[in-house]
Amino acid sequence: QVQLVESGGGLVQAGGSLRLSCAASGSIDSVLVMGWYRQAPGKQRELVAGITSTGQTNYADSVKGRFAISRDNAKDTVYLQMNSLKPEDTAVYYCNSKALDPPRISDYWGQGTQVTVSS
């Protein structure tokens, strides 16, 4: 199993920046992909950004050019740097890992961290 603990959320004005952190523990070697999702009130949870064990990244169109996902393998931590924040980025942000759990791939989630962007 993989345990995930997020930090770094908060309240920021539009145009500002925040950096989210996700510290992973447990069966780290089984992790294939780590990512950030977000869920705004009344909306479905959506993928924001992902990074593979080899460093490949992908982003939602709505955050391309503003957000950057990275990982520090020595610290087993994934970061989401969020710049030029907009009110529509307001949501609970969840860290996710997809880990090899033979014969399947399992999803693990953090507890979520609130990001609020004021206009």
Side-chain angles (χ1 to χ4, degrees):
Q1 291 196 347
V2 179
Q3 295 78 43
L4 304 171
V5 178
E6 302 114 332
S7 61
L11 173 64
V12 64
Q13 288 187 332
S17 299
L18 282 174
R19 188 176 81 156
L20 305 183
S21 300
C22 174
S25 60
S27 303
I28 304 299
D29 290 344
S30 67
V31 173
L32 302 173
V33 181
M34 291 194 69
W36 289 94
Y37 289 69
R38 66 186 180 187
Q39 187 166 19
K43 295 187 176 181
Q44 289 189 329
R45 191 173 296 188
E46 62 175 359
L47 175 67
V48 176
I51 185 166
T52 70
S53 57
T54 58
Q56 291 182 307
T57 59
N58 66 294
Y59 297 92
D61 288 343
S62 59
V63 306
K64 283 181 181 177
R66 300 189 298 122
F67 290 12
I69 189 170
S70 62
R71 63 193 298 164
D72 184 336
N73 291 330
K75 297 182 179 180
D76 293 327
T77 300
V78 172
Y79 303 97
L80 184 68
Q81 178 66 44
M82 304 185 294
N83 299 324
S84 302
L85 282 160
K86 304 175 181 180
E88 51 263 44
D89 294 318
T90 295
V92 178
Y93 284 69
Y94 296 92
C95 182
N96 167 268
S97 72
K98 299 187 186 300
L100 190 62
D101 187 17
R104 62 187 182 277
I105 294 174
S106 297
D107 275 293
Y108 296 94
W109 296 92
Q111 79 281 4
T113 185
Q114 177 71 45
V115 172
T116 303
V117 184
S118 62
S119 57

